[in-house]
Amino acid sequence: MDRCISVIVPVYNTKDYLEQCVQSIHSQTYKHLEVLLVDDGSTDGSAELCDALSEQDARITVIHKPNGGASSARNAGLDAMRGEFVLFVDSDDYIHPQMCEVLVGLIGKYDADISMCFSRGTKVRDYAEPPQPSYREQCLTGVQAMELLYGGDAFSFFGYNPTSNMFRLYKRSLFGSDLRYDENAVVAEDDTMTPYLLARAERIASVDRRMYYIYERPGSLSRSGISDERWKNICETKVRMYTERLRAFEDKEKFRSLVRMWYSIALFDLAEAYNMRADKACRRTLKSCYNRLLRQGMKKHTFDIKRTLIFCAIYMNPRFLKLF
């Protein structure tokens, strides 16, 4: 499908919101779309609604699968997609009618591999961003974007929720056959994927126009409270994410400054997680990972003396984190 956008919508028990989401995709001014509704084992009638919506628009394909989480649903969509580009939309969110047209235009204008707009959280279902006289466009290399995301003013380029994989149009080739979402992560799946996608991109284009609307509904996975089981999963995901990320990028010269940032981010983040409400098993895992990353960073001379002393003090007593 030439220049086709595959819009992947993971669906799980969002019957009350799904129709508006799909309608916002159906109403896009850019018409070369395929819409993949991935029903992730819904039990509230969402699965039947997906089938009904597919009868109204030939561009819609429904994939029914057992419940496996958002990452599993996205991966099912990636494996089935036929378009040149991919866009992810959560089934309780909705998008501006010109979003796809604007993002495709940015990719063409800047010969980019990723294009992105800004988003806005809203508690109403009919919010529309008022038009502005002009919008700021920017284009960075993948490495420049990563340095900005992890060590600079990320919001100026990425907007609200800078590590999100929503409101971004990706060339399918970035994912290839090997890059997929971590299905063991119930939360923070975007954080685990973002650096790998940015690293594969030659150029990334951005416009500060809010065209993706995040509905802040009660009970949403990303907006609900954290249970003990989910907290355990967060801790395990953090340990795995930082360990795998550093292993993947550490010996690549062009990412040297990023690796230095990631060591610091990882150590502060792990210490903060330790200080929050985690059980003893989680704390032991977090502290063990902290110690391993600290030793690894010191061995590779990543830290100066001041930072080394700070991280050693935090290891001795994670509550020292509050002093820095």
Side-chain angles (χ1 to χ4, degrees):
M1 284 188 171
D2 187 37
R3 310 302 288 182
C4 175
I5 297 175
S6 296
V7 185
I8 298 176
V9 185
V11 178
Y12 180 71
N13 289 354
T14 52
K15 180 181 178 182
D16 293 340
Y17 315 100
L18 178 60
E19 191 164 3
Q20 183 185 13
C21 172
V22 174
Q23 181 58 42
S24 73
I25 299 169
H26 173 82
S27 301
Q28 291 295 296
T29 55
Y30 190 87
K31 299 300 182 182
H32 301 294
L33 309 175
E34 73 162 350
V35 185
L36 299 171
L37 301 182
V38 185
D39 166 44
D40 192 39
S42 297
T43 58
D44 70 337
S46 294
E48 293 76 12
L49 180 56
C50 286
D51 292 332
L53 292 170
S54 69
E55 295 176 359
Q56 301 171 19
D57 189 336
R59 298 175 299 176
I60 297 177
T61 298
V62 181
I63 300 172
H64 295 288
K65 60 180 289 297
N67 180 251
S71 292
S72 173
R74 288 183 185 180
N75 288 341
L78 286 170
D79 291 338
M81 65 173 285
R82 296 173 293 163
E84 182 179 352
F85 308 107
V86 58
L87 174 71
F88 299 103
V89 180
D90 276 351
S91 59
D92 51 354
D93 298 334
Y94 55 102
I95 60 178
H96 188 282
Q98 292 179 299
M99 179 175 168
C100 289
E101 180 181 352
V102 168
L103 294 183
V104 167
L106 284 173
I107 282 183
K109 181 177 180 178
Y110 295 100
D111 190 23
D113 299 302
I114 302 172
S115 63
M116 66 185 76
C117 60
F118 283 15
S119 66
R120 182 185 179 98
T122 176
K123 290 182 168 59
V124 299
R125 295 297 299 166
D126 56 354
Y127 177 81
E129 186 76 11
Q132 303 298 319
S134 63
Y135 300 96
R136 181 189 183 195
E137 295 179 2
Q138 303 177 74
C139 186
L140 299 175
T141 67
V143 174
Q144 288 173 333
M146 292 171 77
E147 290 175 344
L148 189 65
L149 175 60
Y150 296 105
D153 180 14
F155 297 103
S156 66
F157 185 77
F158 293 93
Y160 170 78
N161 198 359
T163 60
S164 175
N165 292 166
M166 306 298 170
F167 40 93
R168 296 178 185 176
L169 188 66
Y170 299 96
K171 283 188 177 179
R172 177 185 183 178
S173 57
L174 294 177
F175 289 91
S177 60
D178 61 320
L179 189 58
R180 292 295 184 268
Y181 286 90
D182 181 359
E183 297 188 13
N184 293 316
V186 176
V187 293
E189 60 270 10
D190 286 2
D191 290 349
T192 64
M193 177 65 82
T194 293
Y196 299 98
L197 289 169
L198 298 184
R200 292 186 176 191
E202 290 293 328
R203 282 171 294 280
I204 302 167
S206 168
V207 61
D208 63 349
R209 184 175 179 182
R210 295 183 179 93
M211 306 187 80
Y212 187 102
Y213 307 122
I214 302 170
Y215 182 52
E216 298 172 343
R217 66 180 177 90
S220 169
L221 270 178
S222 60
R223 267 82 77 179
S224 59
I226 302 176
S227 66
D228 289 340
E229 186 60 30
R230 287 186 69 207
W231 178 252
K232 180 180 179 182
N233 183 270
I234 289 172
C235 294
E236 292 172 348
T237 298
K238 285 180 184 293
V239 170
R240 185 169 62 252
M241 177 178 69
Y242 289 127
T243 302
E244 292 177 356
R245 182 184 299 175
L246 289 165
R247 184 186 302 124
F249 291 98
E250 193 158 36
D251 295 327
K252 297 179 180 179
E253 180 64 30
K254 69 177 181 179
F255 298 117
R256 184 175 298 277
S257 63
L258 277 165
V259 168
R260 188 175 295 111
M261 294 179 200
W262 282 335
Y263 267 114
S264 296
I265 292 170
L267 291 170
F268 278 124
D269 194 23
L270 292 171
E272 184 178 28
Y274 182 96
N275 286 327
M276 295 178 70
R277 58 180 185 94
D279 60 29
K280 291 182 179 179
C282 281
R283 286 193 164 194
R284 283 194 299 270
T285 300
L286 289 167
K287 193 164 187 178
S288 174
C289 182
Y290 184 101
N291 184 36
R292 185 170 65 252
L293 292 183
L294 177 59
R295 290 176 179 274
Q296 190 171 328
M298 292 171 62
K299 182 178 180 180
K300 292 180 177 289
H301 308 289
T302 299
F303 312 126
D304 57 26
I305 294 176
K306 179 180 178 182
R307 186 142 295 209
T308 299
L309 291 174
I310 290 173
F311 287 133
C312 287
I314 292 173
Y315 175 74
M316 297 300 294
N317 188 342
R319 292 183 179 84
F320 285 159
L321 179 65
K322 297 178 181 179
L323 302 176
F324 304 105

